[in-house]
Amino acid sequence: MATANNATVTKELRIAVVGAGLMGADHVIRIENRIVGATVSAIVEPDEARAQAALGTAPNAAWYKNIEDAIAADAMDAVLIATPGQFHEPVLIPAIAAGLPILCEKPLAPDAEISLRIVEAEIASGKQLVQVGFMRRFDAEYAALRELIASQDKGELLGLHCKHRNPSVPDSYHNDMLIFDSVVHEIDVVRFLADSPIKSVEVKHFKRNSKSPAGLQEPILVLLETESEVLATVEMNVSVGFGYQVKTEAVFESGIADIGRAAGMEIAYDGQLITQEHASFKTRFAAAYDAQIQRWVRAVEKGTIDGPSAWDGYLAAAAVEAGLEALKTGTKVQAKYQAKPSFYKSAN
Ligand code: ISE
């Protein structure tokens, strides 16, 4: 659009944020304060108290109780879904049918069957509309490690040691969530780093932490094997108390690389070296979330996506299914995948 004095006015992308819980509220603040070229135009949230809290941080936004009403009111140009995975499909299907670009938080859906339905809806729309929020791919250290692996500079990648530690989990968190809510990040990022699909999953149990919530059998050790025969060990530990840690050590033929060490000020005092640890994924991955959303906004302007696709979401869901069976049976379970549709072949 050109103004009278010929200055160019760029239109801001109007984003509807669906779900104003922990993650959604964080994304609203992020878009309003740190993302260039976008604004939150709608909060889609059935709970009034949550919606009002989010509206307090998004001056241009209107409140809708469901996605259908927001679509009918033409309230947005794009959708960011930040509800838990089991609520994604009923939002994704109408948003895809309306031709809206979507950034959907992980996991795309709770299982492979639902993920395939979403993939089919996207193919039927004729356009890649869905990007999945595996934000670790946008973390600078993960990106650097992927480049190091691809360069073969330190020889072939032999294995990965991944440590995923949460200070605590909410009461609603249960055993299966260790795999579909938490390990799903490693399932995606191990494939991303090794550039090879997950072939099998096996789950072992560490000695149970007496501080874990009742009913939770953890920490667990998950073994992910890729088709390229890279073995990844994943310590999934959600009751560490002291802070939030996500670290990966890569073992090469001629070297070791380590990412995720605590950064920032180190204090030497009274015979100790003290560095502050993150308290939550909101700060540990803040820069990655910013980069993910900024790049998505730019991609939407060009009518594309810039990150993991719905097909990547499906591949993760299929490997998660193997992981859930491995958790239940104690055996090594092979992941099963459908053939990649030609629609996604030329895509990232
Ligand atoms: C949570 O849903 C996340 O996605 C966090 O990144 C992860 O660390 C945590 O374990 C999950 O519950």
Side-chain angles (χ1 to χ4, degrees):
M1 187 197 309
T3 60
N5 64 5
N6 264 349
T8 302
V9 177
T10 315
K11 190 174 162 286
E12 287 196 312
L13 183 76
R14 298 174 308 142
I15 301 176
V17 175
V18 182
L22 185 67
M23 207 62 248
D26 197 45
H27 284 325
V28 170
I29 293 170
R30 165 171 295 108
I31 294 166
E32 283 303 316
N33 297 286
R34 297 200 289 282
I35 301 300
V36 177
T39 188
V40 178
S41 58
I43 304 287
V44 180
E45 166 63 64
D47 182 274
E48 183 165 5
R50 280 183 175 184
Q52 292 304 343
L55 288 168
T57 61
N60 304 320
W63 173 34
Y64 298 89
K65 287 194 175 160
N66 59 60
I67 189 75
E68 288 81 4
D69 288 351
I71 292 172
D74 188 22
M76 67 285 207
D77 309 312
V79 181
L80 193 165
I81 304 176
T83 53
Q86 66 270 31
F87 304 119
H88 290 174
E89 188 191 17
V91 178
L92 279 160
I93 299 297
I96 291 172
L100 290 163
I102 303 151
L103 177 60
C104 180
E105 268 298 343
K106 53 56 63 175
L108 176 64
D111 62 35
E113 192 185 333
I114 301 175
S115 303
L116 276 181
R117 285 208 293 266
I118 295 162
V119 158
E120 278 157 19
E122 183 174 57
I123 294 174
S125 83
K127 201 171 164 207
Q128 260 202 298
L129 292 169
V130 181
Q131 181 171 325
V132 181
F134 285 121
M135 77 300 183
R136 290 191 189 179
R137 294 186 182 209
F138 296 85
D139 175 81
E141 285 188 287
Y142 273 109
L145 181 56
R146 180 173 145 99
E147 269 182 39
L148 183 66
I149 292 169
S151 74
Q152 299 231 329
D153 202 37
K154 305 288 173 280
E156 284 243 21
L157 174 70
L158 307 177
L160 295 160
H161 293 296
C162 311
K163 291 142 200 167
H164 186 165
R165 300 176 178 136
N166 293 184
S168 61
V169 280
D171 292 345
S172 54
Y173 194 97
H174 54 83
N175 276 316
D176 284 359
M177 289 177 81
L178 289 163
I179 305 291
F180 77 71
D181 193 51
S182 299
V183 175
V184 67
H185 281 294
E186 273 75 18
I187 283 176
D188 179 69
V189 91
V190 166
R191 182 169 75 84
F192 174 71
L193 291 172
D195 198 19
S196 177
I198 304 297
K199 187 170 72 178
S200 69
V201 189
E202 196 176 349
V203 180
K204 306 266 181 207
H205 285 85
F206 282 87
K207 182 169 176 177
R208 185 175 182 277
N209 184 349
S210 63
K211 303 205 166 88
S212 300
L216 217 51
Q217 294 297 323
E218 60 96 28
I220 56 172
L221 179 70
V222 182
L223 303 177
L224 302 173
E225 203 183 344
T226 67
E227 281 177 11
S228 59
E229 293 181 356
V230 167
L231 183 69
T233 65
V234 179
E235 176 195 325
M236 190 66 238
N237 191 340
V238 298
S239 310
V240 300
F242 65 82
Y244 183 90
Q245 275 187 341
V246 170
K247 299 174 169 213
T248 297
E249 192 178 80
V251 181
F252 295 92
E253 286 176 305
S254 327
I256 303 283
D258 205 8
I259 63 168
R261 276 162 301 148
M265 183 159 62
E266 188 177 79
I267 304 173
Y269 177 73
D270 199 19
Q272 297 178 61
L273 274 182
I274 303 167
T275 316
Q276 202 152 11
E277 192 46 275
H278 284 287
S280 115
F281 54 88
K282 288 204 302 187
T283 57
R284 167 67 176 83
F285 288 110
Y289 283 121
D290 286 359
Q292 168 186 252
I293 295 189
Q294 187 64 73
R295 278 174 53 181
W296 173 65
V297 165
R298 291 207 183 106
V300 167
E301 283 164 10
K302 296 185 193 120
T304 179
I305 64 167
D306 183 6
S309 66
W311 186 249
D312 291 306
Y314 158 72
L315 292 178
V320 159
E321 278 192 10
L324 289 171
E325 199 186 325
L327 181 70
K328 203 162 57 193
T329 60
T331 59
K332 179 166 160 180
V333 179
Q334 305 294 319
K336 294 186 213 77
Y337 305 106
Q338 303 277 328
K340 190 174 188 178
S342 55
F343 183 81
Y344 295 101
K345 286 222 165 101
S346 57
N348 45 329

